[in-house]
Every structure is written in C-alpha cells, then in structure tokens.
Amino acid sequence: VGFVSEDEYLEIQGITREQSGDYECSASNDVAAPVVRRVKVTVNYPPYISEAKGTGVPVGQKGTLQCEASAVPSAEFQWYKDDKRLIEGKKGVKVENRPFLSKLIFFNVSEHDYGNYTCVASNKLGHTNASIMLFGPGAVSEVSNGTSRRAGCVWLLPLLVLHLLLKF
Ligand SMILES: *[C@@H]1O[C@H](CO)[C@@H](O)[C@H](O)[C@H]1NC(C)=O
Ligand SMILES: *[C@@H]1O[C@H](CO)[C@@H](O)[C@H](O)[C@H]1NC(C)=O
Ligand SMILES: *[C@@H]1O[C@H](CO)[C@@H](O)[C@H](O)[C@H]1NC(C)=O
Ligand SMILES: *[C@@H]1O[C@H](CO)[C@@H](O)[C@H](O)[C@H]1NC(C)=O
C-alpha cells in the first residue's frame, strides 16, 4: 500500500479509507543525515451500517436491538419507532452507544414494544439508516412457510384417529 513520491508533495487522488495511516517523509541532502517525519493521514467517510440485528422476544423478557455502523469520525446513533424519535431515558428502555455500535435494550418487553424500529447513524459527512424488527414469538409462525405447517396438520389426523382407537 505504499505511495512513493520523490517530490516535496505526495498527492493521493481519490483516496479511500483503506489508505488511512502513517506516511513517512524523508528529507536529505549531501551535508546532513536524512530527516524523517511521520504524517498521519485520516480519511473521513460517512457512516454505513454493517449490521442491523433484530430479535424475537416473548413478553416479559429482555430484548436487544443492535445496530453496527462504520464511520470516521465515528457515528452518532438515533433510534426511531415508526418515524417517531425514541427519547432516551424512557422507562424500561435504554440506549447504549459505543463508537461503532448502538444497542436499544428493552428490560421487560411488552406487547406495545413490538414493531419496526429504525436506527439512524450520522456524522458530519452524512447519515444512513436501517430498519430493525422487535417481534414476539407469535410473529415467527407468520413468517414461517405455510407449506410445512399444512404438512404438520396432515400428520396430526392419523395420530388423532389412532388415539381415539386406543381409547376404545
Ligand atoms: C414486566 O412487566 C409486567 C407488566 O408491566 C410486570 O407484571 C412484570 O412483573 C415485569 N417483569 C419484570 C421482570 O420486571
Ligand atoms: C420498516 O419500516 C421501514 C421504514 O419505514 C420500511 O422501509 C420497512 O419496509 C419496514 N419493515 C417492515 C418489516 O415492515
Ligand atoms: C431512512 O432513509 C430513507 C432513505 O434515505 C429516508 O427516506 C427516511 O426518511 C430515513 N428514515 C429516518 C427515520 O431517518
Ligand atoms: C416454502 O417451502 C417450500 C417447500 O419446502 C419451498 O420450496 C419454498 O421456497 C418456501 N418458501 C419460502 C418463502 O420460504
């Protein structure tokens, strides 16, 4: 990943975030030993969300939604539910922010907590968002494939008949 320039200037066009790092500049002439200086180059970029993790939680349990974003400078996070901003310090809900990660924690999930949440990550260069679901155990069967459920019922019928036969 070296850039070499014999010039007084090193110009990097179309710099990417992978090209962040330390660069070394060495100056020498015939008289003195070379002088070396290090220059740290930071590439800023707007956030992108690398992971948005929803979860299925029964009522009364703890649930965590997780949103991971990469950005320089590091992202600030905000959470929305159905386009309404969640206010921090709401009872039973906590937002835990780290430079690259935000967690929305429900200490005791209730029926009305279920739904579609949006995580917004922003820095001075831009913002992006992702939607994350908090769903109950009932929602799992809605998503699951109808074919397999019907197949399950077909098996149930002979079992019921057998059960009845055994009773007599
Ligand atoms: C969770 O909330 C329900 C309803 O408000 C309450 O009955 C229950 O005791 C709570 N559970 C915990 C662990 O706080
Ligand atoms: C959640 O909300 C977002 C934005 O309003 C929408 O694009 C997305 O389709 C919704 N997801 C679900 C599963 O309803
Ligand atoms: C999420 O991003 C979409 C597309 O850029 C935008 O229309 C929407 O308003 C954003 N939602 C929030 C809550 O910022
Ligand atoms: C439903 O199940 C069938 C058979 O197992 C499969 O071919 C199909 O792709 C599934 N559909 C979805 C939406 O998962």
Side-chain angles (χ1 to χ4, degrees):
V1 265
F3 291 88
V4 180
S5 166
E6 305 254 313
D7 209 352
E8 209 172 321
Y9 301 98
L10 170 66
E11 191 173 320
I12 307 170
Q13 283 180 350
I15 197 164
T16 64
R17 43 178 172 266
E18 288 77 25
Q19 287 158 356
S20 296
D22 290 332
Y23 288 75
E24 225 170 62
C25 167
S26 157
S28 59
N29 62 16
D30 298 337
V31 181
V35 180
V36 177
R37 289 279 181 276
R38 234 161 226 242
V39 178
K40 190 179 165 70
V41 173
T42 304
V43 179
N44 291 342
Y45 56 93
Y48 69 91
I49 293 176
S50 51
E51 201 176 0
K53 240 177 19 210
T55 185
V57 186
V59 165
Q61 295 204 357
K62 186 176 168 182
T64 304
L65 302 181
Q66 201 164 307
C67 181
E68 237 180 279
S70 178
V72 174
S74 56
E76 284 177 30
F77 293 94
Q78 279 163 12
W79 289 88
Y80 290 79
K81 186 185 185 195
D82 306 325
D83 299 329
K84 257 207 228 104
R85 172 115 188 249
L86 291 187
I87 295 134
E88 251 192 271
K90 186 177 171 282
K91 205 164 161 263
V93 183
K94 190 177 156 204
V95 177
E96 232 178 66
N97 285 333
R98 272 183 254 156
F100 296 101
L101 175 76
S102 182
K103 286 182 183 177
L104 180 62
I105 303 164
F106 299 85
F107 291 105
N108 182 1
V109 170
S110 74
E111 203 67 56
H112 68 254
D113 289 329
Y114 293 138
N116 190 353
Y117 290 80
T118 305
C119 157
V120 180
S122 55
N123 72 5
K124 63 181 181 187
L125 292 176
H127 57 87
T128 184
N129 70 48
S131 59
I132 305 177
M133 295 292 292
L134 180 70
F135 52 87
V140 178
S141 64
E142 267 170 48
V143 175
S144 91
N145 203 326
T147 325
S148 56
R149 234 152 76 210
R150 222 166 294 132
C153 291
V154 175
W155 282 106
L156 215 63
L157 204 62
L159 270 174
L160 264 172
V161 173
L162 195 70
H163 191 74
L164 284 171
L165 282 174
L166 284 172
K167 267 199 164 166
F168 293 104

